[in-house]
Amino acid sequence: MRRALTPLLMALLASCEPMATSWPEKVDFPVLQKKDAVAPAATSTLKVMTWNVKYGGGRIDFWFDLWGDRTFMTLDEVEHNMAGVYALINEVQPDILITNEIEIDSKRSAFYDMVQGILDHTDLRWAAYTPVWQARFVPSEGVGRMNMGNCVFSRFPIVQNTRIAQVDRTDQDPATKTFYLHRAVGRAEIQVGAKRVAVFAVHTEAYDSDRTNSKQQAQILEVMKAETLPFVMAGDLNALMPGSVKTNHFNDEAPSSIGTAFEQPPYNPEDLRPFFDAFDDAIGLTRYGTTEDQQSHFYSHSVIGPDKVGANGVPGFWNRRLDYLFTQKTNRWKGAVVLQKPGVGFDDFNNVVVVGPENHSGIVSNPLELSDHCPVVGLWEVLQ
């Protein structure tokens, strides 16, 4: 096997394109836009949606989650899964969409350009993509070419797109570290009429054993505190809300993951306390509640879907909240909802609206079938 691989590795190393890409501390990336994109009329209230779209993987079980053995998707699978993503976005009609785990040129997702796909199939007109994992060849399980990142989409003009590097993990062997992703904050500036706002797209570490997630949170907090524009920080923080009742033994933890590199890390719900002290989350601690039943309405993540029975003997459903929307206390959220299932509405943000068949104001799409995260949507009133 070594003799077979050596010529390939030598050829890869000799070519001009680097095996894996790293970036400076801060670098600007291009802004994409639809042809003839026109900004809508200015408004002081923006509908903001954050969603980890799981690289268009829907409910396919991949090898690293240890519930399945898939590494790649066919183009038909990706197109089918992304059609569901587009449909849900079009139901919500956000002014600003923040996505995590979106891919544009990856073998895993059949080299499908999901950023262009969202521009082509929704009313969002501008996009600010910032890569976090860009490698010509990832050897693990033959993953191959990878280009994955965060992206901010907007109906209003995005005028700047900046990538801010995050600290890397220190708990990996040199070979793994070479090909591993490099987390980053994506900062987009958006022109809304005469007012300019900033949007931070974040996605912090998931499986670290050296508290990298906590270090990355601290970096994000400092970036937020230094921001002078009205802003939203949004994304998958891989951290529980303060006061969370359920903190371990989740139904979606594969028994075979215990003791491996993909074991779910221990959560400390107090890690996010500084964010809640300094800024306003769209859901907020009071609305989150103090019991598991109250808090379950705001859960946004599950590795497994409804077609698989989990470790606790029940089918997969959302089992913890990892996805957030924050803004300054000088602005405010007029309301928010976590879109967990069909029939949940986003027209009455002050309460989770569950509608019956006689009232179809809620979503028709089933988020549980589209990703291992569901969207969090908030109405952001820019007062500053």
Side-chain angles (χ1 to χ4, degrees):
M1 178 64 75
R2 288 182 181 176
R3 278 198 291 266
L5 286 176
T6 299
L8 171 63
L9 292 175
M10 289 178 65
L12 289 170
L13 289 169
S15 64
C16 296
E17 186 180 0
M19 290 286 286
T21 304
S22 59
W23 295 270
E25 182 176 348
K26 189 177 288 190
V27 60
D28 286 342
F29 277 83
V31 174
L32 304 175
Q33 70 177 76
K34 287 183 177 178
K35 184 179 179 181
D36 302 324
V38 177
T43 175
S44 61
T45 301
L46 299 168
K47 187 184 292 184
V48 184
M49 173 171 158
T50 185
W51 194 8
N52 181 326
V53 297
K54 191 192 169 183
Y55 40 86
R59 278 302 170 185
I60 295 173
D61 294 313
F62 288 84
W63 63 274
F64 50 84
D65 287 327
L66 301 176
W67 285 102
D69 59 3
R70 292 288 297 276
T71 301
F72 312 115
M73 295 175 281
T74 67
L75 182 58
D76 285 347
E77 286 174 324
V78 178
E79 289 178 338
H80 172 78
N81 292 336
M82 290 304 296
V85 170
Y86 305 147
L88 180 50
I89 294 170
N90 286 327
E91 287 191 82
V92 177
Q93 287 290 305
D95 297 302
I96 298 170
L97 169 67
I98 301 94
T99 57
N100 303 130
E101 294 188 5
I102 193 165
E103 294 185 355
I104 62 172
D105 183 25
S106 299
K107 182 179 178 182
R108 172 169 66 183
S109 52
F111 305 102
Y112 187 93
D113 189 336
M114 299 174 190
V115 173
Q116 190 62 50
I118 289 178
L119 287 176
D120 289 345
H121 293 92
T122 74
D123 192 41
L124 295 158
R125 302 161 193 181
W126 282 266
Y129 174 77
T130 49
V132 299
W133 195 7
Q134 192 169 306
R136 185 156 40 100
F137 181 78
V138 178
S140 298
E141 302 297 315
V143 169
R145 191 174 190 89
M146 177 62 66
N147 194 331
M148 183 186 80
N150 303 314
C151 193
V152 177
F153 297 89
S154 174
R155 294 199 308 125
F156 296 89
I158 299 177
V159 296
Q160 187 172 358
N161 176 25
T162 304
R163 184 190 191 278
I164 305 169
Q166 294 241 257
V167 63
D168 287 331
R169 290 174 62 170
T170 60
D171 58 350
Q172 297 169 313
D173 63 81
T176 300
K177 189 177 181 66
T178 297
F179 297 97
Y180 198 69
L181 66 166
H182 301 283
R183 305 279 182 177
V185 177
R187 180 187 181 276
E189 286 192 19
I190 302 176
Q191 193 71 42
V192 183
K195 188 183 293 287
R196 186 169 292 192
V197 302
V199 176
F200 297 110
V202 302
H203 186 195
T204 52
E205 191 55 53
Y207 298 111
D208 55 303
S209 61
D210 62 348
R211 298 285 288 165
T212 299
N213 180 287
S214 179
K215 298 170 190 175
Q216 291 171 348
Q217 287 181 31
Q219 285 183 299
I220 294 167
L221 196 62
E222 290 308 307
V223 168
M224 293 165 68
K225 289 180 177 178
E227 183 56 60
T228 58
L229 294 176
F231 73 81
V232 165
M233 181 278 277
D236 175 4
L237 287 171
N238 279 307
L240 300 182
M241 284 188 71
S244 292
V245 175
K246 180 71 172 174
T247 61
N248 53 32
H249 301 300
F250 295 102
N251 185 52
D252 63 349
E253 183 163 24
S256 59
S257 69
I258 306 302
T260 73
F262 299 105
E263 181 179 2
Q264 293 179 2
Y267 290 104
N268 180 357
E270 288 303 302
D271 280 353
L272 286 185
R273 179 72 66 178
F275 288 89
F276 285 85
D277 289 343
F279 302 100
D280 278 348
D281 170 58
I283 300 300
L285 296 176
T286 300
R287 189 175 173 206
Y288 188 54
T290 57
T291 68
E292 190 172 350
D293 180 65
Q294 292 171 329
Q295 295 175 0
S296 66
H297 293 292
F298 308 105
Y299 292 164
S300 65
H301 173 64
S302 174
V303 174
I304 59 173
D307 60 341
K308 191 172 293 293
V309 175
N312 299 337
V314 296
F317 194 69
W318 313 114
N319 57 63
R320 74 201 93 167
R321 185 185 179 202
L322 301 181
D323 303 87
Y324 298 87
L325 289 168
F326 280 97
T327 189
Q328 298 112 316
K329 292 183 182 293
T330 48
N331 298 301
R332 73 178 180 125
W333 296 104
K334 295 176 70 174
V337 67
V338 180
L339 298 178
Q340 294 182 328
K341 58 186 178 180
V344 175
F346 45 84
D347 52 351
D348 179 359
F349 284 82
N350 292 318
N351 294 285
V352 176
V353 181
V354 181
V355 300
E358 73 287 350
N359 181 354
H360 297 285
S361 62
I363 59 171
V364 175
S365 301
N366 186 356
L368 194 60
E369 297 175 348
L370 300 177
S371 174
D372 56 355
H373 291 252
C374 64
V376 181
V377 185
L379 281 179
W380 180 41
E381 188 172 21
V382 185
L383 300 173
Q384 187 183 56

